[in-house]
């Protein structure tokens, strides 16, 4: 990391505040080859026109672009040195942070879901980086009841709120990347029907409330072998290889939650296995826990204008990589996901210099 001579770290550690605490953290590391990088002051007043203005890291090789930001630019500050901000981030002018309203997920009293937004300008290219954490599935049984699930609807509402917030009229519009634990899940009802096509289902209810507490799916023949057991926090399928074979791509058809945002968000093709829920046993780096159906919870998405930035290239080499980190080692219950790309600041210019960047979720 010696070549990364500037850093900005934002850690929400205000855990005593039920109203504001998100537990989010964003790390930004800037390479020494980048001579001019500026960060947006969200609380600043209109100032001069600026020239040459997650976990996340950027390494860029900068030429000498001369294009200025538009005349309505708010205050940008040149990034120098290394700074760490923690505890109460609400007063930090270089970011926007919000926790979702409690009514979005009323059954989870201590929900910590929300987002942190920062804006950067590299040469003449401005973009937002939005670190997000959406709501989880509280119960496998509830998720299985409907298609799409009630939890999918909650995430849809929260993500829509974030997108509306970052393109509202308070600031100039900019390309944006949204990354983090979206908690996107496979459509549970469809997945179970596909995995257990020839199975019979046994329902177990609580003696006192008659509430469904467990579903057992057995093969119709083969000595009625148990294929799947489903409880509130149990998803025990007999053959985990289905989630690993060919990186689980056969199950991508059940990854549907992003489809409602297809006109607003773009994602590169997924070629890595589901990022959650991995075993936290250090000797079981490739093993999933049997608590949830494996899913691509961790994602890096972008606006359509950001898509145009990263897919520009002046060479034939592969310049965009979307993958996960640590496929064979324990990284916790989530595998980190990264997006490495080149951007050409000065979109639309035939000879725009190309920079390298890497976003790590």
């Amino acid at each position: 990391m010696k070549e990364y001579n500037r850093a900005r770290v934002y850690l929400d550690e205000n855990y005593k505040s039920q109203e504001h605490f998100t537990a989010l953290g964003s790390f930004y590391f800037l390479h020494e080859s980048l001579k001019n990088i500026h960060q947006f002051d969200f609380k600043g007043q209109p100032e001069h026109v600026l020239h040459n203005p997650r976990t996340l890291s950027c390494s860029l090789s900068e030429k000498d672009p001369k294009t200025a930001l538009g005349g309505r630019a708010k205050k940008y500050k040149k990034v120098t040195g290394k700074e760490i901000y923690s505890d109460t981030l609400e007063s930090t002018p270089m970011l926007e942070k919000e926790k979702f309203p409690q009514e979005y997920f009323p059954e989870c009293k201590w929900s910590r879901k929300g987002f942190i937004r920062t804006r950067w300008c590299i040469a003449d290219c401005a973009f937002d980086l939005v670190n997000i954490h959406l709501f989880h599935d509280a119960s496998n049984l509830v998720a299985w009841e409907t298609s799409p699930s009630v939890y999918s609807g909650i995430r849809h509402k929260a993500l829509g709120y974030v997108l509306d917030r970052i393109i509202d009229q308070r600031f100039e519009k900019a390309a944006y990347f949204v990354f983090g634990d979206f908690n996107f899940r496979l459509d549970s009802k469809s997945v179970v029907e596909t995995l257990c096509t020839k199975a019979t289902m046994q329902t177990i209810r609580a003696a006192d409330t008659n509430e469904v507490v467990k579903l057992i799916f057995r093969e119709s023949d083969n000595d009625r072998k148990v294929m799947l057991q489903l409880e509130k926090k149990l998803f025990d399928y007999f053959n985990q290889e289905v989630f690993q074979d060919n990186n689980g791509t056969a199950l991508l058809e059940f990854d549907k939650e992003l489809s409602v945002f297809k006109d607003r968000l773009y994602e590169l093709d997924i070629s890595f296995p589901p990022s959650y829920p991995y075993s936290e046993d250090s000797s079981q780096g490739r093993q999933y826990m049997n608590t949830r159906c494996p899913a691509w919870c961790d994602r890096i998405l972008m606006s359509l204008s950001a898509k145009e930035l990263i897919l520009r290239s002046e060479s034939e080499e592969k310049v965009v990589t979307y993958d996960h980190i640590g496929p064979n080692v324990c990284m916790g219950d989530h595998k980190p996901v990264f997006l490495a790309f080149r951007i050409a600041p000065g979109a639309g210019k035939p000879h725009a210099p190309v920079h390298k960047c890497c976003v790590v979720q």
Side-chain angles (χ1 to χ4, degrees):
M1 298 295 291
K2 288 183 179 180
E3 295 179 348
Y4 294 85
N5 60 357
R6 288 152 295 170
R8 291 295 182 271
V9 175
Y10 303 103
L11 301 171
D12 185 0
E13 296 180 326
N14 188 22
Y15 60 89
K16 294 182 180 179
S17 173
Q18 182 179 348
E19 181 181 357
H20 297 294
F21 182 54
T22 64
L24 287 170
S26 296
F27 295 69
Y28 304 91
F29 302 99
L30 312 176
H31 195 269
E32 61 186 12
S33 65
L34 186 65
K35 305 306 179 186
N36 286 296
I37 182 165
H38 292 72
Q39 191 176 0
F40 190 72
D41 182 344
F42 287 94
K43 295 180 172 63
Q45 298 302 313
E47 209 178 56
H48 58 281
V49 175
L50 182 63
H51 292 264
N52 297 336
R54 92 82 322 36
T55 305
L56 169 133
S57 64
C58 292
S59 73
L60 303 95
S61 55
E62 186 180 31
K63 300 292 178 65
D64 185 26
K66 300 296 184 183
T67 305
L69 289 177
R72 293 171 57 196
K74 293 253 184 178
K75 190 195 311 184
Y76 278 80
K77 294 182 178 179
K78 187 169 183 177
V79 179
T80 60
K82 299 178 180 180
E83 298 176 2
I84 297 175
Y85 299 86
S86 62
D87 197 20
T88 305
L89 297 182
E90 284 74 26
S91 60
T92 304
M94 311 311 288
L95 59 80
E96 279 197 317
K97 192 203 84 169
E98 287 190 44
K99 179 179 176 178
F100 296 120
Q102 180 67 43
E103 59 265 25
Y104 275 36
F105 201 29
E107 68 180 87
C108 190
K109 179 180 179 182
W110 291 102
S111 172
R112 301 171 298 182
K113 308 305 189 287
F115 71 93
I116 292 178
R117 170 196 188 189
T118 54
R119 176 171 291 186
W120 304 80
C121 197
I122 300 171
D124 56 349
C125 180
F127 52 87
D128 286 352
L129 298 174
V130 184
N131 185 353
I132 194 171
H133 191 187
L134 298 184
F135 300 97
H136 62 282
D137 282 13
S139 168
N140 292 324
L141 294 170
V142 173
W144 173 82
E145 290 175 352
T146 60
S147 176
S149 76
V150 61
Y151 305 118
S152 174
I154 294 171
R155 288 188 285 270
H156 177 193
K157 181 179 179 181
L159 181 54
Y161 174 86
V162 174
L163 298 183
D164 291 342
R165 184 70 171 159
I166 62 180
I167 65 168
D168 62 20
Q169 300 301 312
R170 295 168 301 140
F171 308 107
E172 291 281 344
K173 288 184 173 61
Y176 57 85
F177 297 86
V178 186
F179 52 90
D181 179 7
F182 291 83
N183 263 312
F184 289 159
R185 306 301 172 96
L186 304 185
D187 186 86
S188 184
K189 196 167 188 66
S190 300
V191 169
V192 170
E193 289 174 353
T194 300
L195 295 179
C196 304
T197 303
K198 299 180 179 180
T200 56
M201 185 181 76
Q202 176 186 359
T203 302
I204 300 176
R205 298 178 180 271
D208 52 347
T209 64
N210 203 38
E211 177 186 5
V212 176
V213 293
K214 188 170 188 174
L215 299 175
I216 301 176
F217 296 83
R218 300 178 183 272
E219 289 188 4
S220 300
D221 47 21
N222 194 23
D223 297 327
R224 293 187 52 77
K225 176 183 175 181
V226 174
M227 300 180 68
L228 172 66
Q229 298 183 77
L230 200 65
E231 297 178 9
K232 180 178 180 179
K233 294 185 177 181
L234 177 72
F235 188 97
D236 189 6
Y237 187 62
F238 79 103
N239 179 22
Q240 276 210 0
E241 291 182 4
V242 69
F243 304 110
Q244 295 280 4
D245 288 348
N246 196 27
N247 290 324
T249 51
L251 297 172
L252 275 171
E253 66 176 292
F254 305 113
D255 180 71
K256 302 176 180 179
E257 293 196 32
L258 194 54
S259 62
V260 294
F261 295 100
K262 64 179 184 294
D263 296 329
R264 304 179 70 180
L265 290 171
Y266 174 78
E267 181 180 29
L268 282 112
D269 291 338
I270 292 176
S271 59
F272 49 88
S275 64
Y276 172 85
Y278 280 93
S279 169
E280 295 179 287
D281 181 336
S282 61
S283 65
Q284 300 289 332
R286 295 178 58 87
Q287 185 78 14
Y288 289 108
M289 289 190 287
N290 62 1
T291 54
R292 308 287 184 185
C293 177
W296 289 271
C297 293
D298 305 275
R299 316 281 275 263
I300 299 172
L301 314 176
M302 66 199 77
S303 64
L304 301 183
S305 55
K307 168 191 173 184
E308 296 303 315
L309 285 178
I310 74 167
L311 295 184
R312 287 173 51 93
S313 172
E314 297 178 358
S315 68
E316 297 296 323
E317 65 178 308
K318 183 180 180 181
V319 295
V320 181
T321 305
Y322 187 34
D323 206 345
H324 67 326
I325 296 174
N328 300 312
V329 296
C330 179
M331 303 287 288
D333 57 345
H334 290 258
K335 295 286 188 191
V337 171
F338 75 95
L339 174 65
F341 56 87
R342 296 175 181 266
I343 57 173
K349 297 179 181 179
H351 302 295
V354 174
H355 300 285
K356 299 177 182 177
C357 189
C358 179
V359 177
V360 179
Q361 191 314 86

